[in-house]
Structure formats: structure tokens, C-alpha cells
Amino acid sequence: MATVAVYDITNNKVGDIELNDSIFGVEMNAGLLHQAVLMQLASERLGTHATKTRSFVRGGGRKPWKQKGTGRARSGSTRSPLWVGGGTVFGPHPRKYAFSMPRKQRRLAIKCALSDKVKNGELVVLDSLDFEAPKTSQVVKVLSDFGVSSKALFITAEEAQNVEKSARNIPGVKAINTTGLNVFDILHSDKLFITKDAITRIEEVFA
């Protein structure tokens, strides 16, 4: 098992913790991570784009001219796709882009993402993380103490509204709990802050 240091929110070492290799020491699977990210992004697409076929365009109920004798081509409606103002052929219609992956694959993808953070030294274990009130300056101070100026993700065991509200006003910074753990947020962050309780919860669920 890998052993990493545990810090408080002021970047002072307070101990060590052993990480479960079955979760934080998994071999990288880039294809699986790519599939998991695609699944998450596809589920967020609205898919509300729409075009009207000839049956949905207003008007066109009367035949423009008689069938024969005019010298012009036959036409039954001014809303034909051949006419200006007519319907659209093979245009986009509302649809869902979401697809699913097997549960084992989804969990393995999260393990790969966490293992990658450990391997690259981008995982910071915090003794605890909670604020008495939501203040953006508190998260800014934590990031400053750890020398982080880029994208960061905070993971807590339980829902911590004060932490989440304090982090959401900072571009590139996000706070979630273990219930909302996902591959995209993990990979999208340059530094991953996770509490000891969150690690315990993750190992209970994923081990």
C-alpha cells in the first residue's frame, strides 16, 4: 500500500495514511477513462435542437396550380423541401445523447482517475475540511497555502455546503462529496484535495 502524508488546511503535516492499492494503485486504462468522460459529457447535452419537416411548416395546404396544362413542374404544396420557406429534410430533431456503461467499468474508471492523481503527485490528503460559514476567501487561503493557482477539486465524505458555496465562485475550483464522485471532475483538476473521511468512504464503497 502507498503511504501519503496528511495535512491540515494550513499545509502543516499532521500524519500519514495508507492508500488501498486496489483503488489508488490501479493500472491506467486510457480507453476506459475516455469512454467514461464521453458518457458524462453526453448525458449533459440538452439535445433540444429541432427543425421542421414539411408536415410541421405552417401553410401549404392548397395546391399552387393545377396538375396539367401550365407548362410548369408538378407541385402539390408550397411547403415542399424544394421551395423557399418549405420544410427541412433530414434535419436534427430533439433526442437524448446519453448512454450508459456497466457498473464495473464506471467504478474502474474512477479508480484509474484516482490512481493517476496519486502517481503524478497531484493528490493532497487533508485531515478535515469544513468552514463555519461560506466564504470564498477561506478557499483562496487554502489554495494559497498549498501553492495552487490552477484548477482544483475538493472532495469531502459528506455534503459540506459551506465548502461547496465557498469554492463555486472561484473559476476552475469545485467542491463535491463522495456521492458525486466522477471521472471528469477528477481528471479536469490539476490538484485533488481529499479528506481522510472521504478516503475511508471511497474504500468502503469501491474496495
Side-chain angles (χ1 to χ4, degrees), residues 45-61:
R45 294 186 66 176
L46 296 179
T48 54
H49 41 30
T51 54
K52 292 183 178 181
T53 62
R54 62 184 298 167
S55 62
F56 289 103
V57 179
R58 181 185 178 94

Side-chain angles (χ1 to χ4, degrees), residues 6 14 31 54 57 62 71 103 106 115 130 146 161-162 166 198:
V6 179
V14 295
R54 62 184 298 167
V57 179
R62 181 177 64 86
R103 182 182 181 184
R106 295 199 306 268
S115 300
D130 198 9
F146 282 91
Q161 291 189 358
N162 289 340
S166 300

Side-chain angles (χ1 to χ4, degrees), residues 54 59-70 72-80 83:
R54 62 184 298 167
R62 181 177 64 86
K63 187 175 175 66
W65 49 74
K66 63 180 183 178
Q67 182 80 350
K68 294 178 179 293
T70 64
R72 290 182 288 188
R74 296 171 294 185
S75 182
S77 172
T78 58
R79 297 301 178 260
S80 166
W83 286 59

Side-chain angles (χ1 to χ4, degrees), residues 11 18 26 33 43 49 56 60 62 70 72 100 111 131 135-136 143-144 172 176 186 191:
N11 198 10
E18 290 186 349
V26 177
L33 287 177
S43 65
H49 41 30
F56 289 103
R62 181 177 64 86
T70 64
R72 290 182 288 188
S100 61
K111 293 178 183 179
F131 304 138
K135 286 188 177 181
T136 304
L143 296 175
S144 177
I176 61 174
I186 295 174
K191 186 68 73 173

Side-chain angles (χ1 to χ4, degrees), residues 9 126-131 142 154-156 160 163 175 193-195:
I9 59 175
L126 299 176
D127 183 35
S128 62
L129 180 64
D130 198 9
F131 304 138
V142 173
F154 292 89
I155 301 178
T156 57
V163 177
F193 294 90
I194 184 171
T195 63

Side-chain angles (χ1 to χ4, degrees), residues 151-170:
K151 295 174 290 187
L153 176 66
F154 292 89
I155 301 178
T156 57
E158 303 291 343
E159 183 179 5
Q161 291 189 358
N162 289 340
V163 177
E164 295 178 6
K165 290 180 179 179
S166 300
R168 67 187 181 186
N169 286 334
I170 307 174

